[in-house]
Amino acid sequence: MRIVMKFGGSAIDSVKKMNNVAELIKGYKSQADHKGKSDSSNEIVVVVSALRGMTDSIINVCDKVRKGLKEPIYEFIQHTRKVHLDIIENGIEDNSLKSEALLEILPILDELRDVLEGLVLLSEVTPKSMDYLLSFGERLSTPLVSFFLLDHGLKSRSLTAKDIGILTNSEFGEASPLMDTTKLRVSHNLEILLKDNMTPVVTGFIGVDQNGSYTTIGRGGSDFSATIIGLSVQANEVWLWSDVDGLMTADPKIVKTAKVLREVSFTEAMEMALFGAKYIHPRALEPAIEAKIPVRIRNTFNTQNVGTLITSKPSNESQKTVKSINTIRNTALIDVSGSGMVGAPGTAAKIFDTLAKNRVNIMMISQSPSESSISMVVRKNALDKATNMLEINLLGKVIKKVNVNNDVAVIAVVGSGMRGIKGVAAKVFGAIAKRDVNVIMITQGYSELNLALVVNNKDCEEAVNALHMEFELS
Ligand code: ASP
Ligand code: MG
């Protein structure tokens, strides 16, 4: 089997965890195949995130750079050096490997220092320089993992996205891979190493544009890197290793009896992934769907658990009407209304355009057939900007009134078995009504895969538990 395995930052942020991951990879590398042939070995491509907290720290340090604050920047440089060097010092047993690891890491740490020193003089961070800074998180963690593999007796090499050829456009911060070129280059570069019985370790999250500048592909992007690579090398499976057991029937912090889902379809996973305990990059499943590569969610701290398998065709026994109850907290509802909106083509376009231009993302939309009001759900931290912009640009013209509820929760009931089944909505609303919870807004799309409703945030626990019980998900 050829498997791409991605490890999240919380799986590799200490010597103990690094050793654990190295043993785990070694175990799968030499595992007997399903026919019991022990001389066969799996081919594994490893993709890694930055050590836990690194990406956030870099984003944080960009703020200090903009303010021209040298002190916290030096603290950051010191801390980053220490964290990475300590793992080598205390973790790599073989002395010559230890020296080699230092030789590889030290120039990257120096480069990070030089860049920050330069930028702080300018007190400026452009999207391009921010991506360059962010690249250090993964460029530092990747050699660490590779040297641990060497120390555990595997043949390995660390490579950046630039080395293997993950080419993207120049949308810094949210770059898109240029798949045709990427596929050719990545398969060419990795195939040679795999033939040589190597276990390559590749940076997640980052790419390179046509000018050779580092780009990033969005927060949590290592999942996406893993599937891009999976597609390129025609992997049999992609495994996303992190610190949770898998996709769940509900958030275990809300429902005590929530369970791990054994199998879900790609479309179901897309509906669940953004909101569950395991956040998956929204685009990560695209390459897997295209190449029909099954994706597994697994927990490095609980390898006994087989995790969740995401495939195009989940087995029949895993089919249920409703599979999971997902929650999105920290959201707010905006309702715009006015009789001027009725029968006036272009009203919705103006509203959405105003929000889009100000980079406010809308999560949920509903309009009544009378057309006199449109309700939208946005993240709470975007509420201020959203209402401000609507008021400045449209109030008194297209719209008469902007109402806000600043503390709501979205509950999404997900399952492809809901399609064409009568009575699901009745069960949902019946269960919630029994708990005396008020529903503020509702949406269901044509696919019937997802029924979403908005309640006051304080009612969220109650409603989710009611639904979890109603659909017997425990
Ligand atoms: N390190 C990046 C982030 O924290 C990418 C990843 O973890 O997948 O967003
Ligand atoms: Mg991360």
Side-chain angles (χ1 to χ4, degrees), residues 70-141:
K70 288 195 179 151
E71 192 74 13
I73 290 168
Y74 280 109
E75 272 165 29
F76 167 78
I77 295 170
Q78 271 328 85
H79 177 75
T80 305
R81 281 188 97 81
K82 184 166 165 34
V83 169
H84 292 87
L85 294 179
D86 277 359
I87 291 182
I88 297 176
E89 286 294 347
N90 306 327
I92 308 277
E93 304 260 318
D94 183 294
N95 276 329
S96 69
L97 277 178
K98 190 184 277 186
S99 317
E100 275 179 53
L102 290 174
L103 273 180
E104 198 162 322
I105 284 274
L106 284 169
I108 307 175
L109 287 166
D110 291 347
E111 185 186 336
L112 174 63
R113 182 201 54 213
D114 294 347
V115 178
L116 280 170
E117 280 177 350
L119 287 174
V120 75
L121 287 178
L122 296 169
S123 301
E124 189 185 79
V125 187
T126 63
K128 181 173 165 184
S129 44
M130 180 143 176
D131 273 3
Y132 181 27
L133 281 174
L134 285 169
S135 77
F136 284 94
E138 274 70 12
R139 283 165 60 207
L140 286 165
S141 62

Side-chain angles (χ1 to χ4, degrees), residues 6-10 49-56 138 205 219-222:
K6 174 253 167 175
F7 292 87
S10 59
S49 298
L51 300 190
R52 183 168 54 132
M54 256 306 271
T55 305
D56 288 328
E138 274 70 12
F205 186 44
R219 286 311 301 270
S222 303

Side-chain angles (χ1 to χ4, degrees), residues 387-413:
T387 48
N388 237 308
M389 289 303 135
L390 289 172
E391 285 178 350
I392 291 172
N393 292 298
L394 302 177
L395 196 65
K397 296 175 202 154
V398 196
I399 58 184
K400 272 261 156 53
K401 216 165 149 194
V402 179
N403 279 322
V404 164
N405 181 336
N406 65 10
D407 202 15
V408 298
V410 177
I411 302 175
V413 180

Side-chain angles (χ1 to χ4, degrees), residues 130-372:
M130 180 143 176
D131 273 3
Y132 181 27
L133 281 174
L134 285 169
S135 77
F136 284 94
E138 274 70 12
R139 283 165 60 207
L140 286 165
S141 62
T142 302
L144 293 186
V145 173
S146 182
F147 275 99
F148 270 78
L149 293 185
L150 288 165
D151 208 25
H152 284 251
L154 290 179
K155 277 176 92 174
S156 177
R157 242 190 85 184
S158 74
L159 301 120
T160 65
K162 208 185 238 184
D163 299 330
I164 66 163
I166 299 186
L167 190 73
T168 71
N169 61 15
S170 304
E171 274 293 311
F172 296 101
E174 203 75 46
S176 285
L178 306 176
M179 272 322 289
D180 291 329
T181 316
T182 297
K183 235 192 293 191
L184 284 174
R185 293 191 186 169
V186 171
S187 74
H188 173 78
N189 290 319
L190 291 182
E191 213 61 66
I192 300 170
L193 300 175
L194 291 170
K195 286 238 160 61
D196 196 23
N197 198 26
M198 282 259 185
T199 302
V201 184
V202 186
T203 53
F205 186 44
I206 59 182
V208 64
D209 75 358
Q210 264 145 328
N211 303 315
S213 304
Y214 281 115
T215 56
T216 62
I217 56 177
R219 286 311 301 270
S222 303
D223 294 339
F224 193 14
S225 308
T227 54
I228 292 168
I229 293 170
L231 169 96
S232 304
V233 301
Q234 294 179 301
N236 299 93
E237 293 193 0
V238 172
W239 295 9
L240 307 177
W241 289 94
S242 68
D243 54 1
V244 299
D245 282 336
L247 298 176
M248 306 208 48
T249 55
D251 181 346
K253 283 189 224 104
I254 297 179
V255 180
K256 294 279 162 305
T257 51
K259 271 189 357 192
V260 173
L261 290 157
R262 294 294 288 274
E263 272 184 60
V264 302
S265 68
F266 281 119
T267 34
E268 287 169 338
M270 300 249 246
E271 298 287 341
M272 299 173 191
L274 292 180
F275 317 122
K278 167 67 185 126
Y279 170 90
I280 303 179
H281 187 289
R283 294 190 60 192
L285 296 175
E286 272 175 33
I289 293 170
E290 188 191 323
K292 297 202 175 58
I293 303 173
V295 174
R296 285 181 200 276
I297 313 285
R298 306 225 27 202
N299 187 348
T300 43
F301 304 108
N302 183 12
T303 49
Q304 299 303 315
N305 194 307
V306 292
T308 302
L309 176 65
I310 310 173
T311 63
S312 42
K313 280 208 179 67
S315 64
N316 282 337
E317 72 255 36
S318 73
Q319 295 302 347
K320 273 191 143 185
T321 324
V322 166
K323 277 199 176 162
S324 77
I325 316 293
N326 300 270
T327 36
I328 319 165
R329 310 297 282 264
N330 295 315
T331 50
L333 187 143
I334 306 170
D335 182 78
V336 294
S337 55
S339 47
M341 291 165 60
V342 179
T347 310
K350 279 179 197 137
I351 295 169
F352 299 140
D353 192 46
T354 303
L355 295 177
K357 278 196 183 119
N358 291 285
R359 302 202 65 80
V360 173
N361 189 38
I362 308 169
M363 306 174 73
M364 210 171 145
I365 304 163
S366 156
Q367 180 188 272
S368 65
S370 80
E371 303 177 38
S372 63

Side-chain angles (χ1 to χ4, degrees), residues 249-256 275 325-331 380 405 407-413 428 431-433 435-440 452-469:
T249 55
D251 181 346
K253 283 189 224 104
I254 297 179
V255 180
K256 294 279 162 305
F275 317 122
I325 316 293
N326 300 270
T327 36
I328 319 165
R329 310 297 282 264
N330 295 315
T331 50
K380 227 189 224 177
N405 181 336
D407 202 15
V408 298
V410 177
I411 302 175
V413 180
V428 168
I432 291 181
R435 304 282 185 114
D436 208 22
V437 168
N438 183 38
V439 176
I440 304 172
L453 45 108
V454 176
V455 298
N456 278 313
N457 192 30
K458 66 170 175 47
D459 295 331
C460 180
E461 270 88 2
E462 187 80 30
V464 172
N465 274 292
L467 292 168
H468 201 264
M469 212 186 261

Side-chain angles (χ1 to χ4, degrees), residues 7-26:
F7 292 87
S10 59
I12 51 170
D13 63 344
S14 70
V15 168
K16 196 170 156 217
K17 292 184 191 173
M18 282 280 188
N19 280 321
N20 177 34
V21 163
E23 275 307 302
L24 192 155
I25 294 170
K26 194 175 168 184

